[in-house]
Amino acid sequence: MARAQLSSSTGSFSAVWRTSHNRHIMEVTFNQSTFTFINASAASSEVSEIVDKAISLATVVILFITMVSLGCTMEISKIKAHIWKPKGVAIAVVAQYGIMPLTAFSLAKLLQLGPMEAVAVLVCGCCPGGNLSNILALALKGDMNLSIVMTTCSTVLALGMMPLLLYLYCRGFSGLEAAVPYTGITISLVMTLLPCAIGIFINYKAPQQAKIITKVGMSILLLAFTTIGVLAGITLGSTILMVTSPPLMITAALMPLIGYILGYVLSVLFKLNEPSRRTVAMETGCQNLQLCSTILKVAFPPEVIGPFYLFPFVYIVFQVSEALVFIIIFRCHERLKSSKEKVLYHQGLQDLQ
């Protein structure tokens, strides 16, 4: 039998390895919650420290670049204007912290996800909106001011709402309430606001440089995502396939779709115009997956979270592909509408002649 123990700001952790009936069993205790892994060994469970640190560093770099880029899209004057008219703020709160966490919780329960699978899904559902939603809203000819304000509000409110919602929804799963490192998550959220503030300052002082930073940031993000994928494949091996299990794939496919649909329905209830409805739909379904991945990777010990910190990478595939379907449908509708208007215009001219 082998035993390992450690304690950090994210919580206490211990692992015990033993053999029973030719099977290697690892029992992990994290924050007074115990999880059992079959066919594990002390040798196989010891993640390469160098590679693991490289993955953690890459996720932090991705988050930093994302939040700086997000800050570079925010204009103080427009934020002030929407704060005095808090309708956008109200929609952001209801959409981001009402629809998505409840959707994540419901799917985790319905599909009977395991403890760490449920944690990954709940963290994803409780995350604020991401800057990808701004790009998708632009492609749908949405209200960009509303999009940026919703993203800004959900990001700032995440500091209090995300730990609170995780605490409430984790109570619905046996043993998870004490397993979530709320302190580590709160620290991660505080750290995200700093690069966002840097981006806002850059956009305020040098708007042209802010645009360049956003473009360069996207290129670095693609490189960092590729690095994480390669390193995760080396570190996790065949266990990486656990992230593509049918229940998780179904969850990743349904979460953004439900978010898009219910976000649109919510905007109809608020009696918003068509561009704003499309914006709210994108803002609701799009999550800050860089933040989600960083929290799962940094706040949880690797032996506990396993490969499930990669769930956001699965989610983003469906998030983008489903949004692209809506964009294609919208663009086709716009072209048909334009063609009909041209035909009617020419018919009107002929009638006048």
Side-chain angles (χ1 to χ4, degrees):
M1 179 183 293
R3 181 184 297 270
Q5 291 183 327
L6 62 87
S7 179
S8 67
S9 60
T10 60
S12 58
F13 164 76
S14 66
V16 178
W17 292 270
R18 58 187 174 84
T19 302
S20 177
H21 302 291
N22 295 323
R23 292 189 305 174
H24 299 293
I25 300 173
M26 180 173 67
E27 293 181 350
V28 175
T29 301
F30 181 60
N31 285 358
Q32 299 180 345
S33 295
T34 302
F35 307 97
T36 302
F37 300 89
I38 308 298
N39 291 330
S41 67
S44 64
S45 64
E46 290 177 355
V47 182
S48 171
E49 189 174 346
I50 296 176
V51 177
D52 188 59
K53 284 183 177 180
I55 295 174
S56 298
L57 178 62
T59 56
V60 171
V61 168
I62 286 176
L63 181 61
F64 182 84
I65 294 171
T66 300
M67 299 311 292
V68 170
S69 300
L70 179 60
C72 285
T73 65
M74 299 176 185
E75 295 182 25
I76 295 175
S77 59
K78 292 178 180 178
I79 293 171
K80 284 182 178 179
H82 276 275
I83 288 174
W84 289 113
K85 296 179 180 178
K87 193 174 184 179
V89 179
I91 295 170
V93 174
V94 176
Q96 201 67 53
Y97 297 116
I99 293 173
M100 294 310 290
L102 181 59
T103 300
F105 175 80
S106 301
L107 289 172
K109 277 290 188 181
L110 184 64
L111 297 171
Q112 299 180 341
L113 299 182
M116 286 299 104
E117 292 174 315
V119 166
V121 170
L122 285 173
V123 170
C124 185
C126 294
C127 273
N131 57 349
L132 181 61
S133 60
N134 305 140
I135 299 170
L136 298 176
L138 180 63
L140 284 167
K141 298 182 179 179
D143 185 338
M144 292 310 298
N145 288 337
L146 177 61
S147 176
I148 292 169
V149 166
M150 286 186 69
T151 304
T152 305
C153 292
S154 65
T155 301
V156 174
L157 290 170
L159 187 60
M161 294 299 294
M162 195 173 176
L164 174 63
L165 289 169
L166 281 172
Y167 173 76
L168 293 174
Y169 281 112
C170 281
R171 292 168 67 93
F173 296 88
S174 178
L176 280 193
E177 183 182 345
V180 177
Y182 301 103
T183 303
I185 290 173
T186 304
I187 292 171
S188 299
L189 289 169
V190 171
M191 295 304 293
T192 63
L193 295 179
L194 178 61
C196 189
I198 292 172
I200 294 173
F201 180 77
I202 292 171
N203 193 32
Y204 178 71
K205 289 291 185 181
Q208 293 301 320
Q209 280 72 18
K211 293 178 182 178
I212 296 172
I213 289 172
T214 303
K215 290 179 181 179
V216 173
M218 292 301 292
S219 302
I220 297 175
L221 281 179
L222 290 173
L223 180 62
F225 271 123
T226 305
T227 302
I228 288 179
V230 173
L231 293 175
I234 295 171
T235 306
L236 299 170
S238 60
T239 58
I240 200 171
L241 296 176
M242 293 169 64
V243 187
T244 58
S245 64
L248 278 181
M249 293 293 283
I250 293 171
T251 302
L254 290 178
M255 270 182 69
L257 182 61
I258 293 172
Y260 293 142
I261 294 171
L262 293 184
Y264 191 87
V265 171
L266 179 68
S267 63
V268 172
L269 295 176
F270 273 91
K271 298 180 180 180
L272 301 180
N273 57 34
E274 277 299 326
S276 296
R277 290 176 185 179
R278 295 191 292 270
T279 299
V280 173
M282 290 299 105
E283 288 292 333
T284 305
C286 287
Q287 302 296 87
N288 191 332
L289 300 176
Q290 298 89 336
L291 174 61
C292 177
S293 183
T294 303
I295 287 175
L296 291 172
K297 187 71 187 76
V298 176
F300 292 86
E303 291 84 356
V304 173
I305 197 63
F308 297 119
Y309 72 89
L310 295 173
F311 173 73
F313 291 81
V314 180
Y315 185 98
I316 198 171
V317 173
F318 290 100
Q319 176 178 277
V320 173
S321 59
E322 289 166 4
L324 287 176
V325 171
F326 286 120
I327 291 169
I328 291 169
I329 293 172
F330 170 73
R331 293 288 183 170
C332 290
H333 172 73
E334 287 281 291
R335 286 192 177 186
L336 288 172
K337 185 179 177 181
S338 178
S339 299
K340 286 181 180 179
E341 288 175 351
K342 285 181 180 179
V343 171
L344 291 172
Y345 175 74
H346 288 300
Q347 286 178 350
L349 287 176
Q350 289 174 358
D351 292 338
L352 289 173
Q353 293 173 354

